[in-house]
Amino acid sequence: MCFRKVITPEQWNVRNIFRNRMVSPITFSLGALTVQWYGIIIGIGALLGLLIAIHDLFMELFLIGLHYALVGARIYFVVFQWYDYKNNPLEIIKIWHGGIAIYGVLIGALLACWFYSRHKG
């Protein structure tokens, strides 16, 4: 269940709900895989963007940008958590252990757009 305790009408405020941790950030878990709400929201946004991108140019750019975005997200996270990875560099590629950053997604997607536009002219 998402709610941990009964919410009174005075508490029906988004800040109170998240400040008091009445909504769990974890949507569900399957073994070692834990899916959180922000991941679902970002995934839905990406899928909606894909649905909007009916034109071939946008579809091609989306498919190229997706790879750059995932790599950029991981690189950004590793750079800012380097003290965790400097002694164990094999952990860098283990993305399933957690650790991607939304700013890295944006940087990677923008780089993909830039490379794509330079290549296509």
Side-chain angles (χ1 to χ4, degrees), residues 15-89:
R15 276 193 214 130
N16 286 338
I17 290 172
F18 287 103
R19 185 182 305 130
N20 297 331
R21 299 292 236 169
M22 290 187 279
V23 175
S24 174
I26 298 171
T27 309
F28 62 89
S29 296
L30 295 172
L33 176 69
T34 302
V35 177
Q36 297 192 0
W37 282 110
Y38 73 88
I40 289 177
I41 292 168
I42 291 171
I44 289 171
L47 287 175
L48 288 174
L50 180 62
L51 291 175
I52 292 171
I54 295 172
H55 194 270
D56 288 337
L57 167 72
F58 294 116
M59 180 65 83
E60 189 175 344
L61 187 58
F62 177 81
L63 293 175
I64 292 169
L66 182 65
H67 296 91
Y68 276 82
L70 288 174
V71 170
R74 185 59 176 177
I75 290 172
Y76 188 91
F77 183 83
V78 168
V79 165
F80 285 96
Q81 300 292 325
W82 181 246
Y83 59 89
D84 292 335
Y85 295 100
K86 67 180 179 181
N87 294 327
N88 194 0

